[in-house]
Amino acid sequence: MTGGKLSSVPRSRLVILIVVCAVALSGCLASPLKLFGGYLPRPSHTYADEPSPDRPIEAGISQAEPPGFANALGDSVKDYAGQELTWSDCDGYQCATFLAPLDWTDPGAQAITIAMKMRPASVGPYQGVLMVNPGGPGGSAQDYVDAIPVSGLEGFDVIGLDSRGSGQSTPVVCGTGPQTDAYFDTDLSPDDQAERDALISAQQAFDQQCRDNSGALLDHISTIETIYDYELARKLMGADKISFYGTSYGTFLGAVYAQLYPKNVRRMVLDSAIDPRPDEEVTQAEGFDRSLRAFADWCGSVQCGLGADEQSVIDTITGFLDGLDSSPLPTKDGRLLTQSQALSGILLYMYDDADAYPELSSLLQYTMETGDGSYLLQVADAMNDRNDDGSYGSLAYSFPAISCADWGDKGVQDAFDQWTQDEQAAPIVGTYSGPSLVCPLWTAKAAPAIDFDGKGAPPILILQNTGDPATPYEDGEALAAELESATLVTRDAPGHGVYDAGSQCIDWIVVDYLVNGTVPPDGTRCTDG
């Protein structure tokens, strides 16, 4: 789900709990709408619009109705506020759905479905609602309720709300499984004009498939609109305030809620934060380059079989990727392991900590020695949210849709120019990632990005790993600087995700803060153990 924003990473290639984009406020949200006796708040400060000169907005006409489209409840937002939630059992949890306006400025036109899951509080004293989000954008918050540790947090109703466009809420729908396979197989790093044209054509086809099958949903998929859904959910649940825990892109979601509804925040933890500014200090490609070199350094030091030192291991990996450019490897299911897919598989391991290094080195050795690309392709499939039956999960499609709604661009040529800069700053990952064309060719408008300040919000806790590849450490520093009530806590470790990742120090801080409101001193650092 950036730290590295979408401009620095190809398409939706890094589709897994990673952050991308700063949020945008669509111009259509300019008119104040009464919401539960108040108004739909708008950010008081925004960055300048990106021009997005090459987006084919004229291609954005489609009458498609993805699953969950429903008749509007009435012409007023108040009609939606009058819904009653009906919770029902779902595999031991409680689940509910409600309707929200597709377009919050025109609530009578069309409704969409929002789904959420709850792990009810099991002990007292009752701590209220804790909303959780795993990132993406587009990762299933409902699934996250199953995974997030609740030790010490049993007093909360832990609730995951699938953002509009994702999970079991009204989802973004794009191409068929084979069409999406073809998209992910595309050569990301073109060597000549013919390959450049093929990459542009593949991106145009994917983006148009999303428009053809998602229709007007693509025009109303921004994070701000999701936050209006969150606020509706808060009111429907009868909660005066909510606590929030978000990882990766989830930190951006939380920051937007704190910006728009600061008085409705009880406590908030932002884990593996993004840099919310339009021009980040460190790109995601640089973050992954750092992590890949850390792996190579370990690999050489233990004589893992890929090289005697860091540089020789890097040379082995890049030589392997170079060979795949012209000669993809066969797999047991008849598909091919391409250079782009191999890169995705390798980078997935960078999200984990150093415990994943031995498995990655063994997998690379096996693939290179046997010429069998099956297992590395399976890892790439996990990265790209591909199912065993050849279909794709909603994350593969919600990721680009939300990203491009939240973040403008400067056009196709600028994407190629940025690639040149990425190759210099991140010679490994930047080179093989290629230009990011998904947003320059998207069929929906982008909008200006929020200039955050977080005024009026209670103390916010930001957690960051020093060796995070997807949201580099500098991203946490940047978000902490933007939000005036934020405190940054550092974990000296690699990997993406801080809480429940091996540091008892971090875990105790998080629980103590969420339950008791205890804020650690700014500059606190933790190690594993």
Side-chain angles (χ1 to χ4, degrees), residues 211-464:
R211 170 60 71 176
D212 291 343
N213 293 293
S214 297
L217 180 64
L218 297 189
D219 301 312
H220 302 285
I221 201 77
S222 72
T223 296
I224 284 183
E225 290 161 299
T226 290
I227 289 305
Y228 294 153
D229 300 337
Y230 264 73
E231 182 61 4
L232 176 57
R234 181 189 70 82
K235 297 296 290 188
L236 295 179
M237 290 186 292
D240 291 334
K241 296 176 182 286
I242 64 168
S243 294
F244 181 86
Y245 172 85
T247 301
S248 198
Y249 162 80
T251 69
F252 184 65
L253 195 70
V256 175
Y257 191 90
Q259 185 71 26
L260 297 185
Y261 298 100
K263 301 302 183 183
N264 295 344
V265 177
R266 181 172 180 256
R267 285 158 198 157
M268 180 171 288
V269 178
L270 306 179
D271 184 338
S272 305
I274 59 101
D275 183 343
R277 303 168 300 183
D279 297 312
E280 72 274 14
E281 178 181 346
V282 178
T283 67
Q284 198 175 67
E286 291 176 80
F288 276 100
D289 244 40
R290 292 174 181 176
S291 294
L292 192 56
R293 287 195 174 278
F295 162 75
D297 179 63
W298 167 86
C299 197
S301 68
V302 300
Q303 298 298 299
C304 71
L306 297 175
D309 54 33
E310 176 186 320
Q311 189 55 51
S312 62
V313 173
I314 292 296
D315 290 344
T316 298
I317 293 173
T318 55
F320 167 63
L321 292 172
D322 288 341
L324 292 175
D325 190 34
S326 58
S327 301
L329 293 182
T331 67
K332 291 181 172 63
D333 68 358
R335 299 160 63 210
L336 294 175
L337 177 68
T338 63
Q339 183 187 80
S340 300
Q341 297 279 30
L343 177 66
S344 292
I346 292 169
L347 294 188
L348 179 57
Y349 280 93
M350 300 298 102
Y351 285 91
D352 208 338
D353 57 25
D355 291 341
Y357 289 173
E359 182 177 332
L360 174 58
S361 66
S362 296
L363 177 58
L364 288 174
Q365 287 182 74
Y366 170 84
T367 305
M368 294 177 195
E369 292 171 0
T370 65
D372 177 8
S374 302
Y375 299 106
L376 187 53
L377 184 58
Q378 288 179 12
V379 178
D381 286 346
M383 181 70 137
N384 295 326
D385 202 23
R386 187 182 191 273
N387 301 315
D388 291 340
D389 64 2
S391 64
Y392 282 79
S394 70
L395 181 59
Y397 306 130
S398 57
F399 181 100
I402 298 170
S403 300
C404 296
D406 281 350
W407 188 252
D409 63 89
K410 297 178 181 177
V412 171
Q413 184 55 53
D414 181 75
F416 279 94
D417 294 342
Q418 181 62 49
W419 180 31
T420 299
Q421 297 176 36
D422 288 345
E423 288 182 287
Q424 297 170 352
I428 311 166
V429 177
T431 297
Y432 295 110
S433 293
S436 179
L437 298 175
V438 57
C439 290
L441 295 170
W442 197 244
T443 64
K445 292 181 180 179
I450 293 176
D451 186 2
F452 290 91
D453 56 38
K455 287 183 179 179
I460 294 172
L461 195 62
I462 296 178
L463 315 175
Q464 207 78 6

Side-chain angles (χ1 to χ4, degrees), residues 45-294:
H45 303 287
T46 60
Y47 289 106
D49 286 299
E50 294 282 18
S52 300
D54 297 327
R55 295 196 183 196
I57 305 303
E58 68 280 0
I61 300 174
S62 169
Q63 301 302 316
E65 295 187 359
F69 264 39
N71 293 329
L73 293 180
D75 294 330
S76 168
V77 170
K78 289 185 177 180
D79 294 314
Y80 292 85
Q83 298 175 81
E84 291 188 9
L85 290 178
T86 300
W87 295 95
S88 59
D89 180 77
C90 53
D91 297 325
Y93 298 94
Q94 294 291 303
C95 292
T97 62
F98 62 92
L99 297 182
L102 170 66
D103 180 354
W104 278 92
T105 67
D106 188 9
Q110 178 70 60
I112 60 173
T113 301
I114 305 297
M116 55 185 180
K117 177 188 288 186
M118 174 172 61
R119 181 198 295 262
S122 58
V123 301
Y126 181 59
Q127 296 287 335
V129 169
L130 174 62
M131 305 289 286
V132 298
N133 185 276
S140 174
Q142 290 196 98
D143 290 348
Y144 202 39
V145 172
D146 302 352
I148 192 168
V150 294
S151 178
L153 304 177
E154 295 90 348
F156 288 96
D157 287 332
V158 179
I159 295 176
L161 182 153
D162 283 348
S163 298
R164 54 173 58 207
S166 70
Q168 294 181 30
S169 294
T170 295
V172 173
V173 182
C174 294
T176 64
Q179 287 174 324
T180 308
D181 281 344
Y183 171 66
F184 280 116
D185 284 340
T186 306
D187 186 350
L188 291 178
S189 52
D191 301 316
D192 52 37
Q193 187 61 46
E195 290 188 355
R196 173 175 170 149
D197 292 343
L199 178 58
I200 292 173
S201 178
Q203 190 63 65
Q204 289 172 325
F206 176 85
D207 289 3
Q208 191 61 49
Q209 290 159 10
C210 296
R211 170 60 71 176
D212 291 343
N213 293 293
S214 297
L217 180 64
L218 297 189
D219 301 312
H220 302 285
I221 201 77
S222 72
T223 296
I224 284 183
E225 290 161 299
T226 290
I227 289 305
Y228 294 153
D229 300 337
Y230 264 73
E231 182 61 4
L232 176 57
R234 181 189 70 82
K235 297 296 290 188
L236 295 179
M237 290 186 292
D240 291 334
K241 296 176 182 286
I242 64 168
S243 294
F244 181 86
Y245 172 85
T247 301
S248 198
Y249 162 80
T251 69
F252 184 65
L253 195 70
V256 175
Y257 191 90
Q259 185 71 26
L260 297 185
Y261 298 100
K263 301 302 183 183
N264 295 344
V265 177
R266 181 172 180 256
R267 285 158 198 157
M268 180 171 288
V269 178
L270 306 179
D271 184 338
S272 305
I274 59 101
D275 183 343
R277 303 168 300 183
D279 297 312
E280 72 274 14
E281 178 181 346
V282 178
T283 67
Q284 198 175 67
E286 291 176 80
F288 276 100
D289 244 40
R290 292 174 181 176
S291 294
L292 192 56
R293 287 195 174 278

